[in-house]
Amino acid sequence: MPASSSARLTIDLDALAHNFAVLRALAPGAESAPVVKADGYGLGAVQVARRLWAEGARAFFVARLSEGEALRAGLGHPATIYVLDGFTAGTGPRLAAADLTPVLSSLAQVDAAGAFAAGEPLGVALQVDTGMNRQGLTPAEARALAGATPSGLKVEVIMSHLGSATDPADPRSAAQLAAFAAVRPLFPQARASFAASAGMALGAGYQFDMVRPGISLYGGGPEERPDPRLRAVATFEAPILYVRDVAAGQMIGYGSSNMIERDSRVAVLAAGYADGLIRAAMGASYAWFAGARRRVVIVTMDLIAIEIGEAEANPGDMVELLGANVLLDDLAAAAGTVAHECLVRLGGRAERVYLGER
Ligand SMILES: *Cc1c(COP(=O)(O)O)cnc(C)c1O
């Protein structure tokens, strides 16, 4: 590992391509349409989508209109780009100009898109709420719409989203599946899309025509724990600034809750929560240095301290805080959050390196 003076986020697009292949093999009968919202979960939507296009992906999902516009401008390939925010007031011309497909998720959006499409036909996806209660037409609204879709709207995809798929034993998924199966025939010309990463893993019955993997592309396990089939895409490393010895019974960092229990050698790293490493993971997470896991003792805005035992360490040596040895799902569990949040926070200040760009 070359020494560096600043933290580094390495994005391994070969690992991304590997994960895409794993997911496609899991859902061989469905199109895999990668979700690259929030700038590709913080890893760079354009770089991620360009590599996945090279691997055969032809449709992508973003959340915001502006994300769709940026992806359209940067991708350089004629992919279908779905915008999950749908059709909000006044956005018709921008959606049309960037050739984006809105995911309509309320009757108000259907009406607004229908009015716009009276002048200019518009391809759309339609989201139905099958029990997550976040967004989407109710099944009754979808039923009413099926016979009376505004003439300019071409419903290309009918979709829904699962609320509890990370727990295969949760009965809510089967109930949502039944609700979706009842709605889907109302739009026979549309393709059906139901599952994200976790839903795909529930089996072929959940996969329909198109699946929408996000976190598992980036290495997060579908059940919120490490999945050995998936590779780490993001590696975050920070250089050691100082090495110091702290005696048993001393406090380290702010406050007086971080007691060092034994005489310890501590390495202080040039990274902190300002780089997106979640402070709440302090004490529960680990780093990887000199071939072993090391306890993360404190996380402050700009500095992180880890215990390194007897290891030889020098300023400039790099320490892994996320990657092949510090697993994304472990970090998320230590921080009390989901892998998605750990990823999207990274990289603001760190140097970025891409491997395997296309
Ligand atoms: C974010 C999102 C996904 C991807 O979810 P993952 O858990 O990251 O796989 C798929 N579909 C919708 C509607 C989403 O909002």
Side-chain angles (χ1 to χ4, degrees):
M1 242 181 279
S4 168
S5 61
S6 76
R8 181 164 62 214
L9 177 63
T10 304
I11 295 139
D12 183 350
L13 299 173
D14 293 330
L16 177 81
H18 166 87
N19 294 345
F20 187 53
V22 168
L23 293 169
R24 287 215 288 192
L26 193 66
E31 176 182 5
S32 280
V35 179
V36 297
K37 61 194 180 188
D39 197 24
Y41 289 44
L43 304 183
V46 167
Q47 290 88 342
V48 163
R50 285 181 60 85
R51 179 59 194 261
L52 292 175
W53 173 278
E55 303 300 319
R58 291 296 176 265
F60 299 91
F61 282 84
V62 297
R64 304 275 111 85
L65 169 60
S66 57
E67 293 174 355
E69 290 172 325
L71 182 59
R72 177 62 75 210
L75 184 59
H77 301 292
T80 303
I81 301 174
Y82 296 97
V83 176
L84 291 166
D85 278 355
F87 194 103
T88 46
T91 55
R94 284 172 63 186
L95 287 163
D99 189 18
L100 305 173
T101 307
V103 178
L104 307 181
S105 298
S106 70
L107 276 187
Q109 289 199 346
V110 171
D111 289 344
F116 176 78
E120 190 171 356
L122 185 68
V124 299
L126 199 63
Q127 174 142 240
V128 178
D129 180 13
T130 53
M132 188 179 177
N133 293 307
R134 186 176 66 169
Q135 78 222 104
L137 278 69
T138 65
E141 288 171 336
R143 198 170 296 279
L145 183 70
T149 310
S151 60
L153 293 186
K154 186 168 182 299
V155 180
E156 293 166 354
V157 174
I158 171 111
M159 60 181 264
S160 190
H161 194 49
L162 284 157
S164 309
T166 54
D167 177 4
D170 193 319
R172 188 172 161 202
S173 296
Q176 285 198 249
L177 178 62
F180 188 63
V183 168
R184 184 207 174 169
L186 299 172
F187 297 88
Q189 77 291 356
R191 294 196 303 149
S193 178
F194 190 52
S197 301
M200 291 173 68
L202 294 179
Y206 283 80
Q207 295 167 354
F208 293 90
D209 302 312
M210 180 165 65
V211 291
R212 308 185 303 269
I215 194 63
S216 289
L217 282 171
Y218 309 103
E223 293 179 26
E224 298 185 324
R225 56 169 183 264
D227 184 326
R229 294 170 298 182
L230 302 172
R231 287 175 56 191
V233 174
T235 299
F236 192 98
E237 298 158 293
I240 294 176
L241 285 174
Y242 320 107
V243 180
R244 43 195 305 132
D245 294 311
V246 181
Q250 293 287 308
M251 306 300 170
I252 178 167
Y254 295 112
S256 48
S257 55
N258 311 306
M259 160 93 82
I260 293 286
E261 281 167 9
R262 305 169 262 124
D263 290 355
S264 297
R265 178 171 296 168
V266 166
V268 178
L269 318 178
Y273 60 75
D275 301 283
L277 297 150
I278 298 174
R279 183 175 177 277
M282 182 159 95
S285 62
Y286 59 89
W288 181 263
F289 179 69
R293 287 184 178 187
R294 313 289 177 176
R295 192 168 81 95
V296 174
V297 195
I298 58 165
V299 178
T300 60
M301 187 184 287
D302 307 308
L303 299 172
I304 288 175
I306 64 171
E307 272 184 302
I308 58 169
E310 302 300 310
E312 177 69 31
N314 292 294
D317 290 353
M318 294 298 267
V319 174
E320 181 183 321
L321 292 162
L322 175 70
N325 304 297
V326 181
L327 304 178
L328 177 59
D329 291 292
D330 287 346
L331 183 64
T337 186
V338 290
H340 310 59
E341 185 181 3
C342 291
L343 278 186
V344 297
R345 283 168 176 267
L346 291 179
R349 192 161 60 177
E351 172 196 351
R352 268 181 192 230
V353 178
Y354 284 93
L355 307 177
E357 266 188 280
R358 294 282 191 279

